mmCIF file of all heavy atoms in Angstrom:
data_model
loop_
_atom_site.group_PDB
_atom_site.id
_atom_site.type_symbol
_atom_site.label_atom_id
_atom_site.label_comp_id
_atom_site.label_asym_id
_atom_site.label_seq_id
_atom_site.Cartn_x
_atom_site.Cartn_y
_atom_site.Cartn_z
ATOM 1 N N LEU A 62 35.424 5.402 -10.318
ATOM 2 C CA LEU A 62 34.166 4.952 -10.919
ATOM 3 C C LEU A 62 33.009 5.817 -10.441
ATOM 4 O O LEU A 62 32.122 6.176 -11.228
ATOM 5 C CB LEU A 62 33.905 3.486 -10.582
ATOM 6 C CG LEU A 62 32.581 2.913 -11.091
ATOM 7 C CD1 LEU A 62 32.515 2.983 -12.615
ATOM 8 C CD2 LEU A 62 32.398 1.500 -10.596
ATOM 9 N N VAL A 63 33.023 6.186 -9.173
ATOM 10 C CA VAL A 63 31.971 7.046 -8.631
ATOM 11 C C VAL A 63 31.974 8.387 -9.349
ATOM 12 O O VAL A 63 30.922 8.904 -9.727
ATOM 13 C CB VAL A 63 32.136 7.223 -7.103
ATOM 14 C CG1 VAL A 63 31.203 8.290 -6.574
ATOM 15 C CG2 VAL A 63 31.910 5.910 -6.392
ATOM 16 N N VAL A 64 33.143 8.949 -9.561
ATOM 17 C CA VAL A 64 33.242 10.235 -10.258
ATOM 18 C C VAL A 64 32.701 10.108 -11.684
ATOM 19 O O VAL A 64 31.939 10.962 -12.154
ATOM 20 C CB VAL A 64 34.702 10.749 -10.264
ATOM 21 C CG1 VAL A 64 34.853 11.956 -11.170
ATOM 22 C CG2 VAL A 64 35.147 11.077 -8.847
ATOM 23 N N VAL A 65 33.069 9.050 -12.372
ATOM 24 C CA VAL A 65 32.580 8.830 -13.739
ATOM 25 C C VAL A 65 31.057 8.700 -13.748
ATOM 26 O O VAL A 65 30.377 9.284 -14.606
ATOM 27 C CB VAL A 65 33.239 7.579 -14.361
ATOM 28 C CG1 VAL A 65 32.541 7.162 -15.644
ATOM 29 C CG2 VAL A 65 34.714 7.826 -14.608
ATOM 30 N N LEU A 66 30.506 7.962 -12.790
ATOM 31 C CA LEU A 66 29.061 7.801 -12.726
ATOM 32 C C LEU A 66 28.346 9.109 -12.405
ATOM 33 O O LEU A 66 27.289 9.395 -12.960
ATOM 34 C CB LEU A 66 28.696 6.723 -11.702
ATOM 35 C CG LEU A 66 29.087 5.295 -12.069
ATOM 36 C CD1 LEU A 66 28.798 4.343 -10.915
ATOM 37 C CD2 LEU A 66 28.374 4.847 -13.335
ATOM 38 N N VAL A 67 28.915 9.907 -11.524
ATOM 39 C CA VAL A 67 28.307 11.190 -11.173
ATOM 40 C C VAL A 67 28.326 12.136 -12.378
ATOM 41 O O VAL A 67 27.318 12.771 -12.700
ATOM 42 C CB VAL A 67 29.027 11.827 -9.962
ATOM 43 C CG1 VAL A 67 28.637 13.276 -9.782
ATOM 44 C CG2 VAL A 67 28.727 11.035 -8.705
ATOM 45 N N VAL A 68 29.455 12.219 -13.058
ATOM 46 C CA VAL A 68 29.560 13.094 -14.232
ATOM 47 C C VAL A 68 28.639 12.592 -15.346
ATOM 48 O O VAL A 68 27.948 13.380 -15.997
ATOM 49 C CB VAL A 68 31.024 13.192 -14.713
ATOM 50 C CG1 VAL A 68 31.120 13.886 -16.057
ATOM 51 C CG2 VAL A 68 31.862 13.924 -13.671
ATOM 52 N N GLY A 69 28.594 11.291 -15.558
ATOM 53 C CA GLY A 69 27.708 10.733 -16.575
ATOM 54 C C GLY A 69 26.244 10.988 -16.256
ATOM 55 O O GLY A 69 25.454 11.345 -17.137
ATOM 56 N N SER A 70 25.880 10.820 -15.008
ATOM 57 C CA SER A 70 24.505 11.088 -14.588
ATOM 58 C C SER A 70 24.144 12.556 -14.782
ATOM 59 O O SER A 70 23.048 12.880 -15.250
ATOM 60 C CB SER A 70 24.338 10.694 -13.122
ATOM 61 O OG SER A 70 23.055 11.025 -12.660
ATOM 62 N N ALA A 71 25.065 13.449 -14.435
ATOM 63 C CA ALA A 71 24.821 14.883 -14.618
ATOM 64 C C ALA A 71 24.663 15.222 -16.093
ATOM 65 O O ALA A 71 23.782 16.024 -16.470
ATOM 66 C CB ALA A 71 25.965 15.690 -14.007
ATOM 67 N N ALA A 72 25.462 14.620 -16.951
ATOM 68 C CA ALA A 72 25.360 14.879 -18.392
ATOM 69 C C ALA A 72 24.019 14.389 -18.941
ATOM 70 O O ALA A 72 23.379 15.085 -19.743
ATOM 71 C CB ALA A 72 26.517 14.205 -19.131
ATOM 72 N N LEU A 73 23.594 13.214 -18.504
ATOM 73 C CA LEU A 73 22.295 12.705 -18.950
ATOM 74 C C LEU A 73 21.147 13.581 -18.459
ATOM 75 O O LEU A 73 20.187 13.837 -19.195
ATOM 76 C CB LEU A 73 22.103 11.261 -18.473
ATOM 77 C CG LEU A 73 22.958 10.213 -19.170
ATOM 78 C CD1 LEU A 73 22.804 8.863 -18.483
ATOM 79 C CD2 LEU A 73 22.579 10.106 -20.638
ATOM 80 N N GLN A 74 21.220 14.045 -17.230
ATOM 81 C CA GLN A 74 20.181 14.914 -16.682
ATOM 82 C C GLN A 74 20.120 16.236 -17.445
ATOM 83 O O GLN A 74 19.044 16.729 -17.763
ATOM 84 C CB GLN A 74 20.449 15.169 -15.193
ATOM 85 C CG GLN A 74 19.334 15.869 -14.482
ATOM 86 C CD GLN A 74 18.132 14.975 -14.223
ATOM 87 O OE1 GLN A 74 18.210 13.769 -14.333
ATOM 88 N NE2 GLN A 74 17.034 15.577 -13.899
ATOM 89 N N LEU A 75 21.263 16.796 -17.761
ATOM 90 C CA LEU A 75 21.312 18.040 -18.523
ATOM 91 C C LEU A 75 20.724 17.842 -19.922
ATOM 92 O O LEU A 75 19.921 18.656 -20.394
ATOM 93 C CB LEU A 75 22.749 18.541 -18.626
ATOM 94 C CG LEU A 75 22.966 19.860 -19.365
ATOM 95 C CD1 LEU A 75 22.209 20.988 -18.695
ATOM 96 C CD2 LEU A 75 24.446 20.176 -19.436
ATOM 97 N N ALA A 76 21.080 16.749 -20.570
ATOM 98 C CA ALA A 76 20.525 16.447 -21.895
ATOM 99 C C ALA A 76 19.012 16.284 -21.817
ATOM 100 O O ALA A 76 18.275 16.780 -22.689
ATOM 101 C CB ALA A 76 21.179 15.193 -22.461
ATOM 102 N N TYR A 77 18.532 15.618 -20.776
ATOM 103 C CA TYR A 77 17.090 15.436 -20.593
ATOM 104 C C TYR A 77 16.384 16.785 -20.490
ATOM 105 O O TYR A 77 15.363 17.018 -21.150
ATOM 106 C CB TYR A 77 16.828 14.586 -19.346
ATOM 107 C CG TYR A 77 15.393 14.602 -18.892
ATOM 108 C CD1 TYR A 77 14.416 13.902 -19.590
ATOM 109 C CD2 TYR A 77 15.008 15.328 -17.765
ATOM 110 C CE1 TYR A 77 13.089 13.923 -19.176
ATOM 111 C CE2 TYR A 77 13.690 15.350 -17.349
ATOM 112 C CZ TYR A 77 12.741 14.650 -18.052
ATOM 113 O OH TYR A 77 11.435 14.673 -17.650
ATOM 114 N N PHE A 78 16.897 17.673 -19.662
ATOM 115 C CA PHE A 78 16.261 18.980 -19.499
ATOM 116 C C PHE A 78 16.282 19.786 -20.793
ATOM 117 O O PHE A 78 15.310 20.443 -21.136
ATOM 118 C CB PHE A 78 16.906 19.779 -18.368
ATOM 119 C CG PHE A 78 16.427 19.373 -17.003
ATOM 120 C CD1 PHE A 78 17.332 18.992 -16.037
ATOM 121 C CD2 PHE A 78 15.090 19.366 -16.683
ATOM 122 C CE1 PHE A 78 16.903 18.613 -14.777
ATOM 123 C CE2 PHE A 78 14.639 18.984 -15.432
ATOM 124 C CZ PHE A 78 15.545 18.609 -14.479
ATOM 125 N N LEU A 79 17.394 19.757 -21.501
ATOM 126 C CA LEU A 79 17.475 20.492 -22.767
ATOM 127 C C LEU A 79 16.482 19.954 -23.794
ATOM 128 O O LEU A 79 15.789 20.724 -24.473
ATOM 129 C CB LEU A 79 18.896 20.445 -23.315
ATOM 130 C CG LEU A 79 19.938 21.240 -22.535
ATOM 131 C CD1 LEU A 79 21.331 20.933 -23.059
ATOM 132 C CD2 LEU A 79 19.646 22.735 -22.605
ATOM 133 N N LEU A 80 16.401 18.636 -23.903
ATOM 134 C CA LEU A 80 15.459 18.038 -24.847
ATOM 135 C C LEU A 80 14.013 18.282 -24.434
ATOM 136 O O LEU A 80 13.148 18.526 -25.280
ATOM 137 C CB LEU A 80 15.727 16.542 -24.979
ATOM 138 C CG LEU A 80 17.015 16.174 -25.703
ATOM 139 C CD1 LEU A 80 17.292 14.677 -25.578
ATOM 140 C CD2 LEU A 80 16.943 16.584 -27.161
ATOM 141 N N LEU A 81 13.737 18.237 -23.146
ATOM 142 C CA LEU A 81 12.387 18.497 -22.666
ATOM 143 C C LEU A 81 11.974 19.936 -22.959
ATOM 144 O O LEU A 81 10.856 20.188 -23.421
ATOM 145 C CB LEU A 81 12.301 18.202 -21.170
ATOM 146 C CG LEU A 81 10.922 18.181 -20.552
ATOM 147 C CD1 LEU A 81 10.080 17.066 -21.170
ATOM 148 C CD2 LEU A 81 11.018 17.990 -19.050
ATOM 149 N N GLN A 82 12.867 20.887 -22.719
ATOM 150 C CA GLN A 82 12.562 22.283 -23.029
ATOM 151 C C GLN A 82 12.291 22.469 -24.515
ATOM 152 O O GLN A 82 11.356 23.155 -24.904
ATOM 153 C CB GLN A 82 13.706 23.199 -22.604
ATOM 154 C CG GLN A 82 13.756 23.463 -21.140
ATOM 155 C CD GLN A 82 14.854 24.443 -20.800
ATOM 156 O OE1 GLN A 82 15.764 24.691 -21.584
ATOM 157 N NE2 GLN A 82 14.780 25.020 -19.623
#
Side-chain angles (χ1 to χ4, degrees):
L62 177 61
V63 170
V64 171
V65 168
L66 292 174
V67 167
V68 170
S70 176
L73 289 173
Q74 189 74 14
L75 182 60
Y77 167 74
F78 280 125
L79 290 171
L80 290 171
L81 191 63
Q82 283 184 343

